[in-house]
Amino acid sequence: MDADPTILSIATSVPPHRLLQGDVEMMAPELFDQRRSNIERLMPVFQNAGISQRFSCVPLDWYREPHGWQERNQLYIDHAVDLLERAASEALMKAGRQAKDIAAIVVASTTGIATPSLDALILNRLNLPSHVQRLPIFGLGCGGGVVGLGHAATLARLQTEGDVLFLAVELCGLTFRQGDMSNSNIIAAALFGDGAAAMVLGRPGSRGPRLGPAGLHTWPDSLDVMGWNVCDDGLGVIFSRDIPTIVRQELAAAIAGFLAHHKLERSDLDGFICHPGGMKVLDALEDCLDLPRGNLAAAREILREYGNMSAVTVLFVLQRMLAGGLSGRYLMSALGPGFTAAFQLIEA
């Protein structure tokens, strides 16, 4: 374990516009053509989503009008950098580190495109060293928080001097497209929120919760389960209704395979840190893990208070559980496009 990197700090940030679920529900019939969509049949999803509020980088009225890809992406860049700066500054302060102490930066995000990448855009904001190693990660969706943390931990494991800054930001709300009448877009309107998270990882020998092995399981022929369609007016969400079924029927075997690879069993775990994709997915997770309903309490709390922030959400869950006195060996997990399950072992 002394060879493992550690979590020195974690911090989060959200944009200023708080969207109450009731207000979003009231607006939904205006946004979806009742003749071309299933909005009337799907309206219960707003109450059944387990969400009381979410945060958005744009006010609720912004969603009433159509917006093009260029406008959306510029909003993504501007707000993503602001949120990352806030979260990263707080994480550095909590860790007792300065910008000069950072040897590498990893940034995970999939809700917009930036070239130069977000890690380059945040470089001067944080006054990071000009020689800092940079790794932008795109396309992992909800799995990006766990996969990105694994890559950041690998970099931290290799450091002889300096620590690693891991950042994740998602502005899921900007992907809502007024002209998209698909069921997936309606469900996304009931689920998605915006947020960012930052972690400072210490190299081996530092104190704090330890980051053990990470891994992935990608199901064959599953590219249509989750992802984005790139459209003229933005990113169109892809959600398969089969996700809860896949979780119930197949995730336990994937977890067992990952643990066996590292000579572990379920009985060696003290608990789970899970990405809350939605209420149905949380129920399916508890079923496949043989947990009592409501056992993934922190995940349900974060979903209720912040919605689904894609890659960022599981990092909010981790922060909540660490603040609650996390102790023992935990498996962190999230599901993302591919269709992929991402795993990270954490020992506190």
Side-chain angles (χ1 to χ4, degrees), residues 89-112:
S89 298
E90 183 179 347
L92 288 168
M93 180 189 67
K94 285 183 173 181
R97 298 294 193 266
Q98 299 179 31
K100 65 180 179 61
D101 299 318
I102 299 302
I105 178 173
V106 177
V107 182
S109 187
T110 308
T111 44

Side-chain angles (χ1 to χ4, degrees), residues 12-315:
T12 57
S13 63
V14 293
H17 301 286
R18 184 164 69 104
L19 307 184
L20 298 177
Q21 186 77 333
D23 294 340
V24 178
E25 181 183 4
M26 289 180 59
M27 182 186 286
E30 303 175 34
L31 301 179
F32 294 95
D33 189 310
Q34 298 188 20
R35 291 173 298 176
R36 295 189 297 126
S37 73
N38 290 323
I39 184 61
E40 288 188 0
R41 182 175 66 84
L42 291 176
M43 280 302 295
V45 74
F46 289 89
Q47 292 188 15
N48 298 335
I51 296 170
S52 62
Q53 64 177 22
R54 292 168 275 164
F55 293 85
S56 172
C57 67
V58 292
L60 193 57
D61 283 345
W62 183 87
Y63 297 99
R64 296 182 187 274
E65 303 296 332
H67 303 277
W69 169 247
Q70 183 177 9
E71 178 191 354
R72 293 174 188 272
N73 203 60
Q74 190 58 54
L75 285 169
Y76 163 80
I77 292 172
D78 293 343
H79 289 282
V81 174
D82 286 344
L83 288 171
L84 289 178
E85 181 182 14
R86 283 169 45 200
S89 298
E90 183 179 347
L92 288 168
M93 180 189 67
K94 285 183 173 181
R97 298 294 193 266
Q98 299 179 31
K100 65 180 179 61
D101 299 318
I102 299 302
I105 178 173
V106 177
V107 182
S109 187
T110 308
T111 44
I113 297 173
T115 306
S117 51
L118 292 176
D119 47 286
L121 296 178
I122 199 71
L123 195 73
N124 289 332
R125 289 277 196 107
L126 297 176
N127 199 29
L128 294 173
S130 58
H131 60 269
V132 70
Q133 297 180 64
R134 295 165 35 214
L135 176 61
I137 299 178
F138 175 82
L140 295 171
C142 295
V146 177
V147 180
L149 179 57
H151 286 302
T154 297
L155 283 173
R157 195 172 277 114
L158 299 173
Q159 300 304 317
T160 57
E161 296 182 2
D163 301 308
V164 174
L165 181 63
F166 171 54
L167 307 176
V169 61
E170 301 288 11
L171 301 179
C172 303
L174 290 176
T175 67
F176 174 79
R177 295 158 53 246
Q178 190 186 46
D180 182 356
M181 298 296 152
S182 68
N183 290 354
S184 292
N185 196 38
I186 296 173
I187 294 170
L191 289 176
F192 277 164
D194 299 347
M199 299 175 66
V200 179
L201 307 185
R203 56 193 180 277
S206 55
R207 298 172 64 98
R210 298 190 175 278
L211 294 164
L216 297 173
H217 177 89
T218 301
W219 282 270
D221 303 317
S222 61
L223 297 178
D224 58 347
V225 173
M226 185 186 293
W228 298 120
N229 282 319
V230 181
C231 306
D232 289 341
D233 57 346
L235 300 173
V237 65
I238 300 172
F239 279 148
S240 170
R241 61 188 299 177
D242 297 329
I243 293 174
T245 301
I246 296 172
V247 171
R248 278 193 174 89
Q249 296 180 354
E250 303 182 34
L251 182 61
I255 291 173
F258 167 74
L259 293 174
H261 182 72
H262 298 287
K263 298 179 173 55
L264 295 171
E265 298 179 354
R266 277 279 305 276
S267 59
D268 295 312
L269 299 177
D270 294 291
F272 299 88
I273 304 164
C274 295
H275 165 67
M279 287 295 287
K280 288 184 177 180
V281 174
L282 276 171
D283 288 347
L285 283 167
E286 289 174 343
D287 289 344
C288 89
L289 296 172
D290 297 320
L291 299 174
R293 185 67 77 237
N295 182 271
L296 298 174
R300 292 179 182 275
E301 292 170 5
I302 294 300
L303 181 68
R304 182 174 63 251
E305 297 169 20
Y306 297 96
N308 183 342
M309 300 171 286
S310 190
V312 177
T313 326
V314 73
L315 304 177

